[in-house]
Amino acid sequence: MDTSTFWQGFRAGAPFVVVIVPFGMVFGVVGTEAGLSLAQVLGFTFMVIAGAAQFTAVQLMTEEAPTFIVLLTSLAVNLRMAMYSASLAPYLGRAPFWKRAAMSYAMVDQSYAVSVLKYETTPAMTTAQRSAYFFGSAAPLVIPWYLATWAGAALGTAIPPGIPIDFAVPITFLALITPMLRTRAHWAAAAVSVALALVLRGLPYNLGLLVAALCAMATGAALEKRAANRATTRGQS
Amino acid sequence: MTAYSDVTIWLIIVGLGIGTFVLRFSFLGLIGDRPIPAWVLRHLRYTAVAVMPGLIAPLILFPAATDGAADPVRLSASVATVALGLWSKNVLVAIFGGAATLFAAQYLIG
C-alpha cells in the first residue's frame, strides 16, 4: 500500500464526515422507530453502505410492500453505483481482483467523486497509487457510517413522542436531490417521477413507483440526447 | 413492520447487500477497462432523480402521521428544504434548515 497516497485520499474524504455522521444517525433512528432490531439496522449499514437505498427499503417496509418490490426499488436507487463502477473501470480495471472487490464494497458517492476528480487531474498516477487513494478517501466515510448508525439506533428508542420523526426521510431525500438538479433533463426526470408516482399510487404491490422511475429515467436520457444533438448541429453550422 | 418475519427482513438486508455489491462491482470487476455503450450511461445518470422524488412525493402530500391529510407543518418544511438546497447547493444546510423549519412550524401551528 502506498501510504502517502492513502493519506492524501484520506484528507480529501475526511470533510464529508460532517455529512455521513448525521445521515447515519438518522438512519439508525428511523430504522429503530420502524421496528428493526439493532442487529438488523447494523446489518443494513454493514452490508449495503448506501444511505438512500437503505432509507428507501425501510420506507417501503413500513408501507408493507412485497419483498421483491422492496428489493427492486431500493436496488433501482443504487443503479447509479453501476455508473460509478463504469467510470472508475478505466482507472482501476487493472488492479488485482481482491482490491477491485474491496473497492466495490466501499464505493460511496463521496469517495467516488473525490477519487475520479483526482485521477482526471493527475494522469501520471500508477494503478497501485490510485487504489491507495481510493481506500484513503473511503476510510473516513465507511467507518463513521457504521459508528453513526449504531449511535442513532441506540438513541432511537430515547426520542420522545410528538417529534415528527416520520419526516426525516422526506427532508433528507429532498436535500440530497435538490443539488442534483443541474440540467433541464434532471428537472424533467424528477417532475415525471413525482407526477407518475402520484397518479399510479393505486397500482398493486407499490409497482407505481417502479414504473414512474423507469419513465423518468427514459425522459432524462431522451432530453439529454436531444440537447447533445442540438449542440452538435449548432457546432456544424 | 409486522408484515415481515425476521427471516424476511434478513432476506431483504442480505439481498439488498448482494445486489448493491453486484452493481458496484459490475463494470469495475467484470468488464475491466472495456468501453460501455453511451446509451447505458445516459440512463444510469438519471436513476437517483428518477426514483427518490417519486418515493417521497406521496409522503409529503399525504403523510401517514396525519392520516393522509395535507399538513402545513410538513409542507413548509419541504419547501424550506428545497429552497435551501437550491440556494446553498449544500446537502447539510438543506437538511438542518429543513429540520429546523419542521420543528419551528410544529411548535407554532402544530
Side-chain angles (χ1 to χ4, degrees):
Chain A
M1 181 77 83
D2 188 322
T3 329
S4 74
T5 320
F6 177 90
W7 288 111
Q8 252 186 347
F10 192 94
R11 279 194 296 276
F16 294 106
V17 167
V18 294
V19 189
I20 296 289
V21 166
F23 201 39
M25 285 184 72
V26 173
F27 180 75
V29 171
V30 168
T32 310
E33 291 279 314
L36 294 175
S37 69
L38 179 64
Q40 288 162 344
V41 170
L42 291 179
F44 264 115
T45 280
F46 268 108
M47 291 191 202
V48 186
I49 329 185
Q54 292 176 215
F55 277 115
T56 303
V58 169
Q59 180 59 43
L60 288 171
M61 286 164 83
T62 56
E63 291 170 22
E64 310 203 335
T67 306
F68 79 99
I69 292 288
V70 175
L71 282 172
L72 269 183
T73 312
S74 318
L75 283 174
V77 173
N78 274 345
L79 268 176
R80 70 185 189 288
M81 300 289 180
M83 182 181 77
Y84 299 165
S85 187
S87 90
L88 288 173
Y91 298 109
L92 300 167
R94 293 207 178 83
F97 187 82
W98 70 267
K99 269 195 190 176
R100 279 183 283 144
M103 284 188 279
S104 301
Y105 170 78
M107 190 187 294
V108 295
D109 298 286
Q110 294 86 356
S111 67
Y112 159 76
V114 296
S115 296
V116 102
L117 181 69
K118 176 78 177 171
Y119 304 156
E120 279 169 6
T121 51
T122 322
M125 286 172 99
T126 64
T127 302
Q129 284 174 327
R130 288 188 188 127
S131 310
Y133 192 89
F134 187 90
F135 286 122
S137 70
L141 301 171
V142 171
I143 294 159
W145 176 244
Y146 301 149
L147 296 175
T149 309
W150 173 77
L155 195 77
T157 44
I159 289 189
I163 290 189
I165 192 73
D166 65 288
F167 218 58
V169 176
I171 286 187
T172 314
F173 274 27
L174 283 175
L176 285 174
I177 298 160
T178 312
M180 291 183 201
L181 300 172
R182 279 170 288 116
T183 67
R184 209 185 290 176
H186 286 89
W187 278 99
V192 168
S193 169
V194 168
L196 283 183
L198 290 174
V199 170
L200 302 176
R201 217 152 45 98
L203 282 193
Y205 311 123
N206 297 56
L207 270 172
L209 177 58
L210 263 187
V211 175
L214 289 175
C215 295
M217 268 168 82
T219 305
L223 282 184
E224 182 189 312
K225 191 164 183 213
R226 217 177 59 176
N229 285 347
R230 218 179 288 150
T232 327
T233 339
R234 214 176 297 140
Q236 281 163 350
S237 58
Chain B
M1 208 150 290
T2 45
Y4 308 91
S5 65
D6 258 9
V7 176
T8 314
I9 294 177
W10 279 109
L11 203 74
I12 290 173
I13 294 172
V14 174
L16 185 56
I18 294 175
T20 303
F21 181 79
V22 168
L23 289 173
R24 285 170 167 147
F25 196 54
S26 56
F27 294 99
L28 187 56
L30 306 174
I31 299 193
D33 47 9
R34 274 170 283 175
I36 294 124
W39 70 268
V40 173
L41 293 179
R42 204 160 44 231
H43 281 80
L44 293 177
R45 255 196 287 284
Y46 295 93
T47 49
V49 289
V51 181
M52 289 157 70
L55 181 81
I56 55 169
L59 303 177
I60 292 169
L61 296 177
F62 319 106
T66 59
D67 291 322
D71 168 34
V73 173
R74 287 172 173 79
L75 279 177
S76 51
S78 307
V79 172
T81 309
V82 170
L84 285 169
L86 288 175
W87 170 72
S88 71
K89 308 265 176 230
N90 183 319
V91 175
L92 274 192
V93 169
I95 290 183
F96 285 116
T101 311
L102 182 69
F103 290 127
Q106 171 97 339
Y107 179 75
L108 291 173
I109 45 180

